[in-house]
Amino acid sequence: MAALQRIVELNQCCRRRRRSEVVYVNAYIRTTFSPLDVLSDGAILRKYRLSRGQIEELGTFTQRHLERATRRNFALSPRVQLLAALRFHATGSFLEVLGDGLGLSKASVSRAVTAVTQVLLQLPDRMTFPSAPEDITHVSGGFHAIAGIPRVIGAIDGTLVRIRGPSHKEPAYICRKGYPALNIQVVCDHRGVFLDIVAKWPGSTHDSFVWTNSALCQVAEGGGFGGCWLLGDSGYPLRPFLMTPIQEANSEAEEQYTNAHSRTRVVVERALGMWKQRFRCVSNSAGGLKLHPTKACGVVVVTALLHNMALQDGVPLPGDEEMLVEEVEEVVPAAGGNLPDGLEARRQLINHMFGP
């Protein structure tokens, strides 16, 4: 409150003195004032999508990295840089950040988003694929409780995030819906926590190509799943480690399997919806990321890490906001996706689950 009172005094002083002192007020805000000092816990959640304690934790983590080596007076403080970036993540709008009274220009906000993104990409232990036996048992047990499918280690899906089209190779970024985008692949657990993310491919890239060229696919092909599998839609190739639905069921057992598959895999669709609701900068309904591909990829990964942080610490979504409605993304079947070993693995699973 002392900082806020000081700003009021400076503003009153500026009305009586030279106009140039307004610059001093803005500079003071840039280095001293923290909006957290005057906001309630609920207001902080609505504004930044994280709790007060989490923002303080991030502030401690980023402090050393965001200190600017400059002799200029009133350099942008690490706290203001962090809050500006979090506000941008929450809204996707530079104008929203500028309207928060942080004494920043649009260029300053852009630099803050870039700097904070690079630091937060180093957040530890916020996205790990289960490998220890106890972790695999926990995740597979959670999935089994949904619809009875055993040995599920994750649910996989792809989603489009709209971006600013690059000046070079723009056609590659035009997705099937006609706008420039990134094709983002995520894998989540039964709670909707992201276990893996791939954010580097242009929007015209097919989901099956993103998967086939991912590090996680190489792990699976090398036997790293240990007899477990992912659940994916028909846009992914059927493999012994990746179960897909049956498009035309020929028996009651196959129909029951496909229904159970759909009920289980829906967790990843909900996870994507919650992520885009928490951080609207990645939501197509809010206009998408108005950044070029390289910067956009970093922001996508950072918001996924922060979303995990919120979920793991039990921080809810703001309860008084209307849910965003994302465009329904048509599934394009993977070409030549069903290999014999995948068909056999799925047949055995169906017989084990729903056979006579």
Side-chain angles (χ1 to χ4, degrees):
M1 294 301 294
L4 182 60
Q5 181 61 35
R6 178 61 176 153
I7 292 170
V8 172
E9 293 172 357
L10 288 169
N11 274 309
Q12 291 173 346
C13 177
C14 285
R15 291 173 187 154
R16 300 189 299 268
R17 300 176 64 181
R18 301 187 310 273
R19 179 178 177 83
S20 62
E21 294 212 17
V22 175
V23 176
Y24 177 76
V25 174
N26 282 339
Y28 182 86
I29 295 173
R30 287 158 58 96
T31 57
T32 307
F33 179 55
S34 168
L36 301 185
D37 299 337
V38 296
L39 293 177
S40 66
D41 291 344
I44 289 174
L45 180 60
R46 288 191 297 273
K47 203 172 188 68
Y48 300 108
R49 299 304 199 267
L50 298 173
S51 69
R52 187 188 304 272
Q54 287 176 327
I55 295 175
E56 295 291 351
E57 178 184 343
L58 292 174
T60 301
F61 178 78
T62 59
Q63 174 77 27
R64 178 173 60 86
H65 302 281
L66 295 177
E67 289 281 5
R68 293 187 174 175
T70 177
R71 292 176 178 268
R72 294 175 56 194
N73 291 329
F74 305 115
L76 207 61
S77 70
R79 170 58 65 89
V80 171
Q81 292 180 64
L82 175 63
L83 293 178
L86 292 178
R87 184 64 171 147
F88 174 77
H89 294 159
T91 65
S93 171
F94 286 111
L95 295 179
E96 290 280 356
V97 185
L98 297 177
D100 283 351
L102 294 175
L104 307 180
S105 65
K106 184 175 179 180
S108 294
V109 176
S110 178
R111 287 193 295 268
V113 170
T114 300
V116 172
T117 295
Q118 292 306 309
V119 176
L120 292 184
L121 284 171
Q122 304 171 42
L123 274 175
D125 304 325
R126 287 301 179 180
M127 188 179 299
T128 55
F129 198 82
S131 57
E134 59 271 21
D135 294 334
I136 293 174
T137 299
H138 174 70
V139 172
S140 62
F143 276 115
H144 183 269
I146 298 175
I149 300 182
R151 295 158 49 193
V152 177
I153 201 173
I156 185 172
D157 201 4
T159 188
L160 297 171
V161 172
R162 191 169 191 155
I163 63 170
R164 179 182 296 171
S167 57
H168 66 290
K169 299 182 180 179
E170 183 172 10
Y173 286 88
I174 302 301
C175 68
R176 59 184 177 274
K177 295 180 180 293
Y179 54 75
L182 295 172
N183 189 358
I184 309 300
Q185 175 184 285
V186 300
V187 177
C188 76
D189 68 9
H190 57 288
R191 303 166 297 170
V193 173
F194 295 129
L195 305 175
D196 186 76
I197 186 168
V198 178
K200 64 179 182 180
W201 293 102
S204 64
T205 310
H206 193 279
D207 288 351
S208 61
F209 181 90
V210 177
W211 161 249
T212 303
N213 289 274
S214 68
L216 193 60
C217 179
Q218 309 312 310
V219 171
E221 290 180 340
F225 285 4
C228 295
W229 40 59
L230 301 176
L231 297 185
D233 60 29
S234 57
Y236 293 94
L238 178 63
R239 297 290 186 269
F241 45 78
L242 203 169
M243 294 291 106
T244 61
I246 296 176
Q247 296 301 300
E248 296 183 6
N250 295 317
S251 67
E252 183 178 350
E254 290 183 351
E255 184 174 350
Q256 290 178 350
Y257 158 79
T258 299
N259 289 337
H261 184 287
S262 176
R263 287 166 52 199
T264 306
R265 202 193 67 84
V266 75
V267 298
V268 69
E269 297 176 353
R270 292 174 179 164
L272 289 170
M274 289 181 64
W275 169 48
K276 293 183 177 185
Q277 172 66 6
R278 190 182 302 276
F279 296 110
R280 297 196 177 193
C281 68
V282 294
S283 171
N284 293 352
S285 298
L289 270 174
K290 301 174 183 66
L291 300 172
H292 292 296
T294 302
K295 288 185 178 181
C297 290
V299 171
V300 165
V301 174
V302 163
T303 55
L305 291 171
L306 295 178
H307 180 63
N308 277 3
M309 184 178 181
L311 283 180
Q312 291 162 346
D313 294 349
V315 177
L317 289 169
D320 59 349
E321 295 186 1
E322 181 181 357
M323 287 294 292
L324 294 176
V325 179
E326 287 293 316
E327 299 177 60
V328 177
E329 295 177 7
E330 178 186 0
V331 176
V332 179
N338 296 339
L339 295 184
D341 55 351
L343 289 167
E344 177 60 21
R346 187 171 66 181
R347 185 189 65 78
Q348 291 183 9
L349 173 60
I350 293 173
N351 289 340
H352 172 71
M353 288 176 54
F354 306 110

